[in-house]
Amino acid sequence: MPQIFHRSTNTLSRLSIFGALFALAALLWGIAAVNRSAYMTGQGVARVQPVQFSHKHHAGQLGIDCRYCHTQVETAAYAGIPPTQTCMNCHAQIWADSAFLAPVRASFRTDRSLVWQKVHVLPDYVYFNHGIHVQKGVGCVTCHGRVDRMNQVYRAASLQMEWCLACHRRPERYLRPRERVFDLAWRPRGDQAALGRRLVKAYGVRTRTDCSACHR
Amino acid sequence: MTPERRAPAQAPLIGPGHTLGTVTDRIAAVVLTAPTPRAWWVGFAVGFALLLVLLDAVAYLLLRGVGIWGVNIPVGWGFAIINFVWWIGIGHAGTLISAILLLLRQAWRQSINRFAEAMTLFAVACAGLYPVLHLGRPWLAYWLFPYPNTMGLWPNFRSPLIWDVFAVSTYATVSVLFWFVGLIPDLATLRDRSPSRIGRAVYGILAMGWRGSVRHWERYETASLLLAGLATPLVVSVHTVVSLDFAISIVPGWHTTIFPPYFVAGAIYGGFAMVLTLAIPLRRIYGLEDFVTMRHLDYMGRVLLATGLIVAYGYTMEAFVAWYSGSPFEAHMMLDRFGGRYAPLYWSLLLCNVVIPQALWFQRTRASVPALFAIAMSINVGMWLERFIIVVTSLHEDFLPSAWGMYYPTVWDWATFFGTIGLFTTLFLLFIRFLPMISIFEMRTLLPEAEVKEELA
Amino acid sequence: MTSAAAPIDLTALRARLAGRGGRALWRSLDELAESPAFLELLHEELPQHAAALARSVDRRQFLKLMAASLGLAGLAACARPPEDKIVPYVKQPEELVLGEPLFYATAVPLGGFAVGVLAESHEGRPTKLEGNPTHPASLGAIDPPTQATLLGLYDPERSQTITSAGKIQTWSGFLAAVRAALDAQRPRGGAGLHVLTETVTSPTLHAQLRALLAEFPQATWHQWEPAGRDAARAGALRAFGAPVETRYDLARADVVLALDADLFATGPSRLRYAREIAGRRRPGPGMSRLYAVESMPTTTGAVADHRLALAAADVEGFTRTVAAELGLAVAAAPAVAVAPHHAWVRALVDDLRAHRGACAVVPGEHQPPAVHALAHAINDALGNGGRTVIHTDAVEAAPTDQAASLRALVAAMRAGAVEVLLILGGNPVYAAPADLDFAGALGKVALRVHLSLHQDETSELCHWHLNAAHVLEAWSDARAHDGTVTILQPLIAPLYGGRSAHEVLAALTGPERPGHDVVREHWQGVHSGGGDFEAFWRRALNDGVVPDTALAPRTVALRPGWDVPTPAAPAAGLELVFRPDPYLIDGRFANNGWLQELPRPITKLTWDNAALLAPATAERLGVANGDVVEVAVGGRSAHAPVWVVPGHALDSVTVHLGYGRRRGGALATGVGFDAYALRTADAPSIARGAALRPTGRRHAFACTQDHQSMEGRALVRAATLAEWRAHPDFAHAFEETPPRDRTLYPPHAYEGYAWGMAIDLGACIGCNACALACQAENNVAVVGKEEVARGHEMHWLRVDRYFAGDLDAPAILHQPVPCMQCENAPCEVVCPVNATNHDGEGLNVMVYNRCVGTRYCSNNCPYKVRRFNFYLYSDWTTETLKMARNPDVTVRSRGVMEKCTYCVQRINRARIHAEEAGRRIADGELVTACQQACPTEAIVFGDVNDPTSRVARLKADPRNYALLGELNTRPRTTYLAAVRNPNPALAAEQRS
């Protein structure tokens, strides 16, 4: 009886059996990788804003404190995006006729808000409160990165749940003294773990991994 | 004595006058040469039409949500779970026949195990749809699998639904392997006999280079024995886990320790009924009376009788425990089944599953094909009713009378149910059209020629 | 905290909304931030309401659902972060802290009488109304209709423009037309000018009307309210010769007799009465006794120690008998119906005698004047005047016999004497007595102007329709039951540029003036007395009450000839009783989904009214629930479905007003039947000689309770005062609670807070205020009638109602059932994805975004308090409805389970504030929405770990028991068994 298949098909079939396993594994790994990629998280992706506001210039070079603009960050759930008024405090005098600032002046004149692109977006079912995090000694830089070095602000962290949990499970690894919260350049002198444990006690930090801490 | 007047129990497992050649010809012919009978086309048309209904029902479900079904608060589970359990139950006979009867060296299994296993696969396929479809958000069903995710979460391993995921998927995998391995020698036969080039190629690939050498046969035997060993515990485990979906809860009528054995027995009961339901028309249409003989039917009748009695015991114990527990909730649940708003269904369940099958005590019934078919049908219905009673009546009047309510299936419930029957029929008919529905080489071993003469050895 | 409000303009509003950075409120802000005008957006988006979510899917809905499904996909684990915008303020208001609600004190008038509220405002959006503790008619509590006025503000079907003959017109166009007409009236002193208002208590509006009448001396001002208080007014006139206002101090009454009086649902002091009665229901020496005589079972009858079912028309006879027994000289009682209850009357009378000066006889608003007069006489004879019964001058600005007033108007219209008719609020075409044929007469008026929230039946027949400003959009003022004035301040600028009655009146006779100026100037005039007005004004706004405006009690004397028996009507046939619907009142709230879907107190019906009658009566007539009957009375007839109510008086049929609307919104129209069609001016509340004829047709009701008996299970536990004295722990008789350690799982120690709740069944009156508060606080969706009928209702908190004992005189028991927050929660074990589990403070939390919807948790919940989104119930498309939502609670999607979580958003806010201040949450600082609304303070929530907390002390009470405790679920929510105080002399009638 004539052969239907060439001998080589034996090898092929053997390969295909094992190959399937590797292919599957690779696929799963791929999915996991994509989910954590910048494409999905938007990590490190700068957004184009209506006004080319540079945190690097204002916070970094001029050394303006975070709280000059984000006034409510210590007490409110939202850090607060400064009203046009705040910009005009300075830019009524400085760069008063810069083309860059035209939209700002327009907003102030027409009483129509500037519309910024949100960079740090959480899903609607996540309830984050800036005030309590500041109170418990979580530094701005811990979540937002070196904003004072960003011309255009981008997302420094993935903001994925596993990322939140990393700190909620082991806060001592990330805490800093309250007075250093707004100091983006601050580094722990000596052992962070020891300092962290001390602060956890001092600030009464609880590892809140209850779902109800963030989801309602 | 002439063969005709011998009791089925002593009749041979294969009709007289068959040789290795004729067996092979007869079975292979169904697939390769013989014209497809009209009955097949009719069946396929109906099955496929119902399959389209299923697609329609599922599309609308995904668009609108489970609200299109009759489920509500308090009755959160309805047809979806009923049908899931029903199909899974049916999916039991196949593996039981193949694995357990193989280990028990029951030669008579050999002419029915092939399509029984096929039935298992397709039944499990139908069953598998429901747990996903009945979710409020089916597109998130993958959250039930433990995989490393960006949420840093694991599923809840305490939940029987998670156990279900593992039990059913394992069962499906092993059944597929078992069935396919069993097919390989016959696929080779088809490869060698197929008139068309494509046929040869396709069957050839599937046969995975089977040449029937002694080494092949030796490996084949080991493999099927191993798989049988693997499959045997699964037969018990799957429906045990399914029963835990209910038994773990605190719902009166669900929360009972008898469920695992009671469910397994019920599954085998329902499964064999379905095997009969399929075997009887098949042997008729394809004239395979010589291979699926009266003796087979007789045996299956006995199995039905035995498992049926176990199930009946289960019903009795449910009622007894409801009274014995002294729990007002259990008691009310049972009284509600006896005389409540769903009572007619409960009594027809007892009629279908307990009363009618008693006819199987009589030799004459087991010797009558129509009677067997009728009884099998009644059991199919009965087993479905059993699941309806378990799921719905337990929920609709539980602890707080203020929360009591009724469950009425909607047209979409029915559409989904008959849709899966269509899916099953379609798959099964495709199977008998393209694969040998009876194991050729195993049938050969039943022939006198196949018997090994000791003294020669 | 409360503070004075500044009216808010819409551009700023848009900006503020944006400040939320999404939340469930705005899927994406683009459409809002970029939309040219918010108003247009509202116009173009037709009302899409959950109720309209019918079975069939049309194209629009298909698209809507597809869009929503995409939205759902956003909840999946692997999805890109949503594109979102930030729209900061241009100039940020001082007092505003993003994410922190502000509370403004105002009031919501109903039938003219105000209930003080605190309106919660998120970035300029009022999202919830809560009771104002400093307001005498609220005392911090709030009733369902008042709460639901919030949803009315955002009703997408509110009238949004001025129209004339169906065409959109301008305000100036309107002014031109009407001013011209008025000028034509001037020479004749306005003889042809008539103004029709609802009951007016507003001092400002009254002043404006007086000014108008001064300018047009011949003009006439009519007042009419469909569910008005004519009888009470007339009764006072008969008894004292003056329309004095009578209110009762039930806190000081040891014995209370309610004569067909629905104390807790109707009348200006309903909330106060509930608080006062409940205050005397706690078991102990100070416990009062409540007798109720009523036709239709009400919440009053349910809590009464003795309830006597009596046809409404026989109540007068009953009262006469009581009066006679007390030795008053009254006309003989004709009613034989009272005879069988003589023992009852005797015991009651003895009880009243024994408590001279410390008892109260309260007549129902809907009883004829004679009953009110009798009650006055009895109270007078018992020396209750000045003690438990307080008389003051009328609270209404101009007390009038409203029925007569309306008659006069109709007569004038028919005579063609009315040339200009201003209808300021109200809907007379729909609600006026059928025999007056108001609509017909209206046709004869040359210029008809109607100011209303909706394009309703009346607007349809008027030349000009003005879209009114909602009570939360306008400045005004109103008086409470005791005369206390509240300045109503707007929470938001009018969404559709509506105008208030003040603004309309001002503009008609003089220059246009904003409502703020009108009200403020009026009070400047009043205040001119002395002191700094600005301070006075600010304080009044801040507190929600104007100091020392309560009317002083006055002494009154019975005048001779007060006893005029109501003419005996033909007793043949049935009696037909008209009552305002408990929630829709006279129909003004018919387009309010919250109220339509809230189960009626005793019947548990939603989205319907019915012909309510006693089981025996139904049997006699051969009708059953759902049978449609033709109700015929005085030559008029209407088709109504029957609903059988155990405990209803025999041969009496109760129908609720406010349904069967023909115009005024998709939710209002076609729901229920119009009982006004049967109501005549002579028989506004009780009509005799009615007949019911089965039509053979059936009607499908949507009732939320399928089964009415407790099946002998110890769910609601109650005892009499005597029993309680004998065994204080009666609630635990025959109860077996498994040991705490009977579980496979390791015990959990709760350090820190451990939240728990105790519900006093003795205090609960079953008014459903808690259920609605929960709905408002937690963004609970309205699902519509079909869905309720299919068991898909979404209320997180339901009030179960059981009947016990005799079918004709049953005990009526109420039990609010929220999630029990079990410590051994059956739901948690079975959830495959951990979407519901326990938190460190004992909450049984539900993570909507993790739920895949197996519904196993609900199956395994013995209390069945979990609710499932079988469809996409939350409205994701209607902009105004989004504005009504609480931004601190996730808006649930389709296919997700939801349930009560003890208002976890409030817990989190309180905890964060406490920790920022480095302290613990104080007891009472944190209240749940249900607790806050409860008029009787039946619900207490707090930290059970703190032995000094109120909840911990209540749980220590032997009356405290766990529902289904034998299941070892260890519920954190427990109940205090009810204790009744029946009259020992009526031992036979004792309940439970």
Side-chain angles (χ1 to χ4, degrees), chain C residues 385-714:
Chain C
R387 291 197 175 80
T388 57
V389 182
I390 297 147
H391 303 288
T392 66
D393 294 338
V395 172
E396 295 166 40
T400 36
D401 178 344
Q402 300 189 343
S405 175
L406 185 69
R407 262 210 192 80
L409 172 62
V410 173
M413 290 197 294
R414 193 162 282 113
V418 183
E419 288 147 18
V420 182
L421 176 61
L422 303 178
I423 306 174
L424 302 176
N427 185 5
V429 170
Y430 161 71
D435 55 340
L436 293 187
D437 181 23
F438 186 91
L442 188 62
K444 293 201 166 59
V445 178
L447 180 59
R448 317 186 279 270
V449 178
H450 184 224
L451 174 75
S452 65
L453 281 175
H454 288 87
Q455 279 275 5
D456 58 24
E457 292 87 343
T458 308
S459 332
E460 190 179 17
L461 299 184
C462 287
H463 297 109
W464 287 91
H465 159 76
L466 304 180
N467 56 316
H470 189 272
V471 62
L472 295 174
E473 291 175 336
W475 286 93
S476 183
D477 50 11
R479 286 181 179 274
H481 66 290
D482 67 350
T484 307
V485 175
T486 301
I487 307 284
L488 278 58
Q489 55 179 329
L491 268 290
I492 186 171
L495 290 172
Y496 312 117
R499 286 181 174 76
S500 68
H502 302 290
E503 290 165 330
V504 173
L505 276 178
L508 286 184
T509 54
E512 283 186 56
R513 289 152 66 211
H516 171 262
D517 301 1
V518 177
V519 177
R520 188 183 158 94
E521 280 161 29
H522 170 78
W523 284 97
Q524 241 154 350
V526 175
H527 183 265
S528 57
D532 165 14
F533 175 74
E534 195 52 39
F536 156 84
W537 182 249
R538 290 236 146 242
R539 170 126 183 275
L541 288 176
N542 182 74
D543 300 354
V545 291
V546 181
D548 340 314
T549 43
L551 298 170
R554 58 174 275 189
T555 52
V556 290
L558 270 182
R559 63 187 253 279
W562 57 267
D563 182 21
V564 186
T566 312
L574 303 162
E575 89 169 356
L576 186 61
V577 183
F578 301 96
R579 291 273 182 273
D581 182 82
Y583 300 144
L584 304 193
I585 316 299
D586 54 11
R588 71 183 64 209
F589 294 121
N591 206 48
N592 190 309
W594 283 355
L595 291 175
Q596 284 277 19
E597 195 151 304
L598 195 62
R600 301 299 179 270
I602 302 296
T603 62
K604 295 290 152 197
L605 288 177
T606 64
W607 293 97
D608 254 320
N609 60 343
L612 307 163
L613 36 81
T617 315
E619 218 171 325
R620 192 165 60 70
L621 297 168
V623 293
N625 280 356
D627 286 347
V628 177
V629 296
E630 183 187 38
V631 186
V633 63
R636 299 188 164 67
S637 74
H639 287 251
V642 164
W643 190 261
V644 177
V645 183
H648 196 290
L650 298 180
D651 301 328
S652 170
V653 182
T654 305
V655 292
H656 283 136
L657 303 168
Y659 287 88
R661 296 282 304 273
R662 298 180 300 285
R663 213 158 178 279
L667 306 190
T669 48
V671 175
F673 69 95
D674 180 6
Y676 284 113
L678 301 167
R679 194 182 188 219
T680 59
D682 309 316
S685 51
I686 305 168
R688 309 297 298 273
L692 260 57
R693 190 179 57 74
T695 61
R697 285 190 286 107
R698 301 270 308 153
H699 175 82
F701 281 108
C703 176
T704 57
Q705 196 169 334
D706 177 55
H707 195 82
Q708 321 301 341
S709 144
M710 288 197 286
E711 294 296 318
R713 304 173 183 182

Side-chain angles (χ1 to χ4, degrees), chain B residues 69 82 146 264:
Chain B
W69 291 345
I82 296 165
V264 172

Side-chain angles (χ1 to χ4, degrees), chain A residues 24-35:
Chain A
L24 188 68
L27 181 69
L28 293 176
W29 178 85
I31 293 170
V34 170
N35 280 341

Side-chain angles (χ1 to χ4, degrees), chain B residues 84 131 159-169 238 241-243 245:
Chain B
F84 164 70
S159 167
L161 296 186
I162 292 291
W163 313 341
D164 238 15
V165 171
F166 293 115
V168 174
S169 48
V238 178
V241 171
V242 170
S243 77
D245 287 350

